[in-house]
Amino acid sequence: MNRVLNANKRLVHWFGNQSKTKQLLSPSRDNWSATKAIINNELEAIKSSGVWKSERVITSKQDSHINVEGRTEKVINFCANNYLGLSSNPEVIEAAKDALDKYGSGLSSVRFICGTQDIHKQLESKIAKFHGREDAILFPSCFDANAGLFEALLSAEDAIISDELNHASIIDGIRLSKAQRFRYKHRDMNDLEDILKNNQKARNRLIATDGVFSMDGNVAPLDKIYHLAQKYNAIVFVDECHSTGFFGRTGRGTEEFFNLTGKVDIINSTLGKALGGAAGGYTTGRKELIDLLRQRARPYLFSNSLPPAVVASASKVFDLLTQNSSLTERVERNTIAFRTEMKSFGFNILGDNHPICPVFIGDARLASTFADLMLEWHLCDWIQLSSRSQRKG
């Protein structure tokens, strides 16, 4: 009997502890209330600043003319990164459909386990050939390519010198690295040279820049950057997301624009803009760099492979671009025509004769209101207008 009573006491004690444990583990309304208040304050600050971003819903293919939810008329789309119009190209779409039938919807694996198909290797080979490089490696996005590069390549003995207006993905990628970090004033070669001079003791010096800066449409002075890299024994990294496929004489990007083809050490770019617009990014460069990234780049090692349809559509785009440069030439003509006409109407168009044509309003709230009105006027609707005040180096 005593043993039964003792067992009952132990059960009561156990269940009592379990109840206390559940109370400790259950979500606390008070704790979330504090978090909710913080979030709501942040949201209100965004709204009151006039830079709240609303998502207008497209009900058609991405194209120069699109259908938008809630509207019966088509609107002219000026804000997509679909520079070459290939997001809805019939040949690109057909290639994706064929890949779905032959290779399935996805790999359910990272690349190094069982996530590499022959089409992945073929696309990497086409990318390397297009850029005149030894090898290339695919990532889920160029954001991931930028996140994987610097940490894998550089250590605390090295120095990264970055343009102050580089894209957020470059900034975040650099933060993941243990290398010493420096920023030079936007496109200021004197400032860049001073930083290079002061860091000659670093094991490696890497200069990081966007090829084209997407907020302003201005082009990095790559010829001068390359000259300084040669002078101070540095390597050059360029993010070509807003260049690949449509900038330069044959769409080979900023280095082709400056007649420096093959001179840049590392190029990262995207498949999600001009090159079909689906998804994916890549790094291309020397074989030993790509080999290292396959072993060390965390976004590559721990992300699923790009889906076959995405790979096949991008592969078809590279086929089209290597056949001739007619699409690239058309973009250049359209850019000159649009910039010329807009300026003739008195608009302040920023940038360096690049297809990115920022219409500078000067005030974030006014820019947002102007963009909404553009949609209502259905003339050249839905231009994304931005304020410099939103930017943080």
Side-chain angles (χ1 to χ4, degrees), residues 35-81:
T35 304
K36 181 179 179 180
I38 293 169
I39 293 173
N40 284 337
N41 286 338
E42 288 290 324
L43 294 175
E44 285 303 317
I46 295 170
K47 290 177 181 177
S48 62
S49 68
V51 294
W52 181 268
K53 291 169 281 294
S54 299
E55 296 180 358
R56 301 188 179 104
V57 180
I58 300 174
T59 58
S60 63
K61 298 175 184 177
Q62 184 68 278
D63 211 336
S64 57
H65 294 77
I66 54 176
N67 295 323
V68 179
E69 190 175 83
R71 299 187 64 87
T72 56
E73 317 94 338
K74 280 186 176 290
V75 298
I76 302 172
N77 181 10
F78 274 89
C79 62
N81 294 313

Side-chain angles (χ1 to χ4, degrees), residues 44-201:
E44 285 303 317
I46 295 170
K47 290 177 181 177
S48 62
S49 68
V51 294
W52 181 268
K53 291 169 281 294
S54 299
E55 296 180 358
R56 301 188 179 104
V57 180
I58 300 174
T59 58
S60 63
K61 298 175 184 177
Q62 184 68 278
D63 211 336
S64 57
H65 294 77
I66 54 176
N67 295 323
V68 179
E69 190 175 83
R71 299 187 64 87
T72 56
E73 317 94 338
K74 280 186 176 290
V75 298
I76 302 172
N77 181 10
F78 274 89
C79 62
N81 294 313
N82 185 23
Y83 294 101
L84 300 172
L86 294 175
S87 294
S88 54
N89 177 278
E91 291 182 70
V92 174
I93 293 171
E94 190 62 31
K97 289 178 180 178
D98 291 343
L100 276 171
D101 290 335
K102 183 175 180 180
Y103 292 100
S105 65
L107 275 300
S108 303
S109 173
V110 297
R111 285 285 298 270
F112 73 92
I113 295 179
C114 58
T116 299
Q117 294 171 319
D118 55 352
I119 54 174
H120 291 85
K121 301 303 289 184
Q122 290 163 12
L123 176 55
E124 287 170 338
S125 177
K126 289 180 182 181
I127 290 169
K129 184 177 180 180
F130 181 80
H131 287 283
R133 298 310 196 272
E134 294 176 4
D135 204 354
I137 179 174
L138 291 169
F139 286 89
S141 68
C142 191
F143 203 113
D144 286 307
N146 287 342
L149 173 68
F150 305 105
E151 182 185 22
L153 180 61
L154 304 172
S155 72
E157 302 172 80
D158 304 312
I160 304 174
I161 309 165
S162 176
D163 189 292
E164 65 180 350
L165 294 187
N166 275 339
H167 190 268
S169 61
I170 300 174
I171 295 168
D172 286 358
I174 289 171
R175 286 172 177 166
L176 293 172
S177 171
K178 294 179 180 178
Q180 303 165 65
R181 303 190 288 269
F182 303 91
R183 289 189 301 175
Y184 63 92
K185 296 173 185 176
H186 182 47
R187 302 199 302 173
D188 187 327
M189 295 299 98
N190 291 328
D191 195 29
L192 174 57
E193 184 166 16
D194 287 342
I195 297 171
L196 285 166
K197 282 180 184 177
N198 294 331
N199 284 278
Q200 285 300 291
K201 291 183 180 180

Side-chain angles (χ1 to χ4, degrees), residues 210-285:
D210 275 311
V212 174
F213 295 85
S214 59
M215 289 287 281
D216 289 322
N218 57 27
V219 182
L222 193 57
D223 52 345
K224 297 181 177 68
I225 291 172
Y226 175 74
H227 172 74
L228 289 175
Q230 293 296 104
K231 184 176 179 180
Y232 293 100
N233 194 27
I235 59 176
V236 178
F237 159 85
V238 180
D239 181 311
E240 290 281 59
C241 285
H242 290 279
S243 304
T244 304
F246 63 94
F247 193 58
R249 187 177 59 82
T250 65
R252 264 66 175 182
T254 313
E255 65 169 8
E256 183 181 52
F257 179 78
F258 285 102
N259 295 314
L260 290 171
T261 301
K263 301 295 186 182
V264 172
D265 297 288
I266 307 167
I267 291 175
N268 279 10
S269 195
T270 180
L271 305 174
K273 291 183 170 58
L275 306 182
Y282 59 84
T283 298
T284 186

Side-chain angles (χ1 to χ4, degrees), residues 15-30:
F15 279 114
N17 286 341
Q18 291 298 300
S19 178
K20 291 177 183 177
T21 301
K22 287 180 180 179
Q23 291 174 7
L24 289 171
L25 293 176
S26 64
S28 168
R29 292 190 173 209
D30 289 337

